Amino acid sequence: MADLKGGKTVTLTCRKTVARNHLFIDEAAIRANIDTFQARTGGSIMAIIKANSYGVGSEVVAPILESSRASMVGLQEVKEALTVRESGCSL
């Protein structure tokens, strides 16, 4: 699982060269963005999770979206949706 406060280290390998990158998820920014969209539209928010959350894992990001009051989540593949549902997320 990703350490959401400290980020997750992702290792990329290409032609025997290894690079380490850090991806940080700013939960406060996600919440603020969803609040802003809800305030402007007055409607439900469907958050889209792309590419398995860029390696973080949809099952890690979906609960953040759920706690941020997103109404729905959109995923590219049924496999990802099942993983999110199995993690306990009800979106």
Side-chain angles (χ1 to χ4, degrees), residues 5 9 14 30 38 43 48-49 63-65 69 73 75 78 89:
K5 291 190 170 113
T9 301
C14 179
I30 291 172
Q38 284 178 331
I48 306 298
I49 298 177
I64 295 170
L65 297 170
R69 296 175 301 280
V73 65
L75 298 147
V78 173
C89 183

Side-chain angles (χ1 to χ4, degrees), residues 67-81:
S67 71
S68 300
R69 296 175 301 280
S71 304
M72 299 167 271
V73 65
L75 298 147
Q76 181 177 355
E77 297 182 16
V78 173
K79 180 180 171 183
E80 261 186 298

Side-chain angles (χ1 to χ4, degrees), residues 4 6 16 44 55-56 58-59 63-65 73-74 79:
L4 297 179
K16 298 182 183 179
S44 299
V56 173
S58 300
E59 72 279 6
I64 295 170
L65 297 170
V73 65
K79 180 180 171 183

Side-chain angles (χ1 to χ4, degrees), residues 20-78:
R20 292 195 182 260
N21 297 300
H22 298 276
L23 177 64
F24 295 93
I25 299 171
D26 187 341
E27 294 181 54
I30 291 172
R31 286 188 180 91
N33 288 341
I34 289 174
D35 287 345
T36 298
F37 280 112
Q38 284 178 331
R40 289 184 180 183
T41 65
S44 299
I45 301 297
M46 180 179 190
I48 306 298
I49 298 177
K50 292 177 57 178
N52 195 29
S53 300
Y54 299 101
V56 173
S58 300
E59 72 279 6
V60 174
V61 174
I64 295 170
L65 297 170
E66 184 174 37
S67 71
S68 300
R69 296 175 301 280
S71 304
M72 299 167 271
V73 65
L75 298 147
Q76 181 177 355
E77 297 182 16
V78 173

Side-chain angles (χ1 to χ4, degrees), residues 58-59 78-88:
S58 300
E59 72 279 6
V78 173
K79 180 180 171 183
E80 261 186 298
L82 293 173
T83 300
V84 166
R85 188 55 58 98
E86 289 167 0
S87 74

Side-chain angles (χ1 to χ4, degrees), residues 5-20:
K5 291 190 170 113
K8 178 182 177 184
T9 301
V10 180
T11 302
L12 306 172
T13 305
C14 179
R15 296 186 187 152
K16 298 182 183 179
T17 301
V18 176
R20 292 195 182 260

